[in-house]
Amino acid sequence: MKYHIETWGCQMNDHDGEKLSGLLSAEGYELAASSAEADLVLLNTCSIREKAVHKVYSELGRLRQEKLRRPLLVGVTGCLAQQEQAALFKRAPHIDFVLGTMALQQLPRLVAEARAGKARVMDTGEYPDNHLFPPAVTRRRELAKALVTITEGCDHACTYCIVPTTRGPERHRPFADVLAEVRGLAAAGTREVELLGQNVNSYAGGCSFAELLERVSEIEGIEWIRFTTSHPMNFNRELAQVLVTNPKVAPFLHLPLQSGSDRVLRLMRREYTVAEYLERLGYLGAGRGRIALSTDFIVGFPGETDADFEATLRVLDEVAFDGSFSFIYSPRPGTPALRLRDDLPMTVKAERLAALQQRQTALTRASNERFLGREIPVRVEMREPTEHGWWLAHSGEWKTIHLAVGPGRQLPFGELVQARITLASPHFLGAELV
Ligand code: 5AD
Ligand code: SF4
C-alpha cells in the first residue's frame, strides 16, 4: 500500500503532515512520489481563507475522476476536515474518511476501517493529548530546519478567524518533551529548529516561552531557533530580551498586526491598540535594528473606511516592516465577523491590497539593500544547485539567499556557510561564497 499526502496551509499543518506520514510509515505503508502512484491520498487541508478551501474542493474533484478509473482511498485531514466534519461526505461522497486536527493518532484505525470497506469513516473528536504525539513516529521532510510542536490550539477569539474552531483550545507540550525531541534532532545533525504553535508566546508547558527558548538554546549542536506564530498581547519584555540577547535565537520576529486602525482592531477583537503594539516592539530596545520584523495584514475588513486603511499604511511606513503577508478579508463560517455589515466593493478591497503590497515591496527592497556588501552566515538548503547554478539558503533574518559558488563545488546541506551579499531585489538577496 502506497500513500501520498498533499498539504496546504501553515507550518503547523505542514508538521501535522509529517506526523501523519510517520503514522502510515509505522504501519508499513510506503511513501509514493505522487498521488498518481498512491493507493491512499490524504488531503491535509487548510481553511484559513475561502481560496484555500477552493483548492481542496478542486483537488477532490480531480480525485473523484481518478477513483472512477482505479481503486483509491481518499482521506481528508486538517482544518477543513475539522470545520466541515460529516458535511464533507455530503459535498464529496467519494471521500472515504475524515480525520480531525485533534485526533491525528486515530489515522491507522480510520485507514483500516476504510480498507475493510466501511463507508464514511470519521473521527473529529477532541483528544486532549493530541499534542503529546510520540516524536519517534514523526517522519520529517528533508529540510534544513526541523519543525517542533510546542503548543496546539488558540485561546484568543479574533472575530475573523476559523483557527480556534479548527484547532481547539490551547494545549501545551511539557518542556521536557520539547527538549528531548530537540536533543534527538540535534544528535541526528539538525542545526535549526522552528518551534510551532498557533500562539507560541503564551506557552505554559512548565516554564515561560522565553525560558523555553533559553533552554533549547543550551542544546549542543543547535545553531538557530525560530518560532511561529506570536500574538502581540503575549509578546512580553522577557521574550524581547531573549530575542535580542540570545545569539541562538534567530534575529527574526513575525508579529501579526492585522490593521493600523484602532477601530478595526476592536472589531477584530485583537485585544490591543496600535499604540500598544508599537510599545511592545519598543521592548526590543536598541537591539531592534538587527531583528527583521514581519507581520500580517487583513485589508477590507467589514466596515474598513478609507481613513482606517490610510492608518494601516501609516503604521506600515512607521514600523517599516522588513516583510509582510497581506490578504483580503475572507468571511469564515461560524465566525463572529459574519455578523458585521460588509458593503465595501471587492474592487476597492483589491485596490487597497495592491496599494499595501506595493508599499511593502518598496520597504522590503530597502530592507534588503541594507545587506549589500555585508558578510553573513547563511544556511544551505539544497543538496544540488538549481538549474540556474545558484544554491538556495536562508539568513538568520529569514532572507532568501541565492548563493553563487564556483562550478563543480558542493555545499554542505543544512550547514552554515559565510556569504557576501552582492545583489538586493525585493524577493531575494544574491550572494557569493566568502
Ligand atoms: N480572512 C483573511 N485573512 C485571514 N487571516 C486569518 N483569518 C483570515 C480571514 N478570515 C490571516 C491573518 C493571519 C494570517 C495567518 O491569515 O492575517 O495572521
Ligand atoms: Fe490553515 Fe490556520 Fe489551519 Fe494553519 S491553522 S492549516 S493556516 S486554517
Side-chain angles (χ1 to χ4, degrees), residues 111-432:
V111 174
E113 288 178 16
R115 284 184 81 184
K118 194 170 162 198
R120 302 191 167 192
V121 179
M122 182 170 90
D123 194 339
T124 51
E126 285 188 28
Y127 292 77
D129 61 351
N130 189 60
H131 63 302
L132 302 178
F133 191 90
V137 172
T138 303
R139 184 187 165 127
R140 289 187 163 81
R141 290 194 294 139
E142 255 224 334
L143 296 179
K145 78 175 176 194
L147 307 175
V148 175
T149 301
I150 66 161
T151 83
E152 289 185 347
C154 180
D155 284 349
H156 290 280
C158 305
T159 54
Y160 52 80
C161 192
I162 194 79
V163 172
T165 314
T166 60
R167 295 273 162 177
E170 276 178 18
R171 286 139 292 152
H172 306 277
R173 192 166 167 211
F175 73 83
D177 289 15
V178 176
L179 296 180
E181 180 164 13
V182 178
R183 270 190 216 107
L185 286 165
T190 296
R191 301 279 166 259
E192 184 171 329
V193 290
E194 182 159 29
L195 306 181
L196 297 183
Q198 266 76 31
N199 190 14
V200 282
N201 51 0
S202 71
Y203 180 72
C207 66
S208 71
F209 181 56
E211 282 163 352
L212 182 69
L213 284 174
E214 297 278 30
R215 289 177 192 191
V216 173
S217 76
E218 285 157 13
I219 294 173
E220 207 181 317
I222 294 297
E223 293 167 342
W224 280 341
I225 308 160
R226 303 183 184 279
F227 54 91
T228 195
T229 187
S230 308
H231 190 288
M233 284 325 272
N234 301 108
F235 185 79
N236 56 22
R237 288 187 187 277
E238 190 197 6
L239 174 53
Q241 182 68 18
V242 175
L243 185 54
V244 295
T245 56
N246 189 318
K248 291 200 179 175
V249 179
F252 174 82
L253 175 63
H254 181 69
L255 202 60
L257 169 61
Q258 312 300 2
S259 169
S261 153
D262 286 341
R263 203 182 64 83
V264 173
L265 288 174
R266 225 173 17 250
L267 290 172
M268 292 176 164
R269 209 183 290 146
R270 282 294 285 174
E271 306 167 38
Y272 54 82
T273 60
V274 171
E276 282 167 328
Y277 180 94
L278 296 176
E279 185 192 336
R280 270 146 210 268
L281 283 186
Y283 293 171
L284 296 170
R288 165 149 167 210
R290 46 170 286 277
I291 310 277
L293 286 178
S294 107
T295 198
D296 290 340
F297 290 109
I298 296 178
V299 305
F301 191 74
E304 184 190 68
T305 63
D306 281 331
D308 291 323
F309 180 64
E310 286 300 323
T312 296
L313 291 182
R314 271 200 306 278
V315 183
L316 178 74
D317 280 340
E318 183 183 339
V319 178
F321 289 101
D322 297 86
S324 69
F325 301 93
S326 44
F327 317 93
I328 292 179
Y329 166 72
S330 173
R332 308 312 300 127
T335 55
L338 287 181
R339 290 195 292 273
L340 299 171
R341 202 166 130 169
D342 184 11
D343 46 15
L344 198 64
M346 191 43 97
T347 47
V348 175
K349 296 188 182 199
E351 277 165 23
R352 287 182 187 171
L353 183 71
L356 189 153
Q357 291 184 339
Q358 198 181 351
R359 296 275 271 268
Q360 182 61 62
T361 302
L363 291 171
T364 304
R365 178 189 291 278
S367 155
N368 285 353
E369 282 171 352
R370 287 195 290 278
F371 280 80
L372 278 173
R374 282 178 57 190
E375 287 183 12
I376 57 168
V378 302
R379 186 172 314 284
V380 178
E381 291 176 346
M382 291 184 134
R383 293 194 178 274
E384 299 293 332
T386 61
E387 54 184 289
H388 309 291
W390 49 265
W391 296 65
L392 180 71
H394 272 98
S395 72
E397 297 81 5
W398 199 239
K399 297 279 184 193
T400 301
I401 311 288
H402 294 183
L403 190 56
V405 298
R409 182 103 192 248
Q410 278 297 113
L411 292 181
F413 176 81
E415 301 292 336
L416 291 178
V417 297
Q418 199 66 7
R420 184 182 306 108
I421 308 301
T422 53
L423 183 150
S425 94
H427 308 293
F428 66 91
L429 294 171
E432 55 194 33

Side-chain angles (χ1 to χ4, degrees), residues 8-10 12-13 45-48 79 162-163 166-167 198:
W8 290 270
C10 61
M12 275 64 85
N13 216 38
T45 64
C46 171
S47 63
I48 193 86
C79 286
I162 194 79
V163 172
T166 60
R167 295 273 162 177
Q198 266 76 31

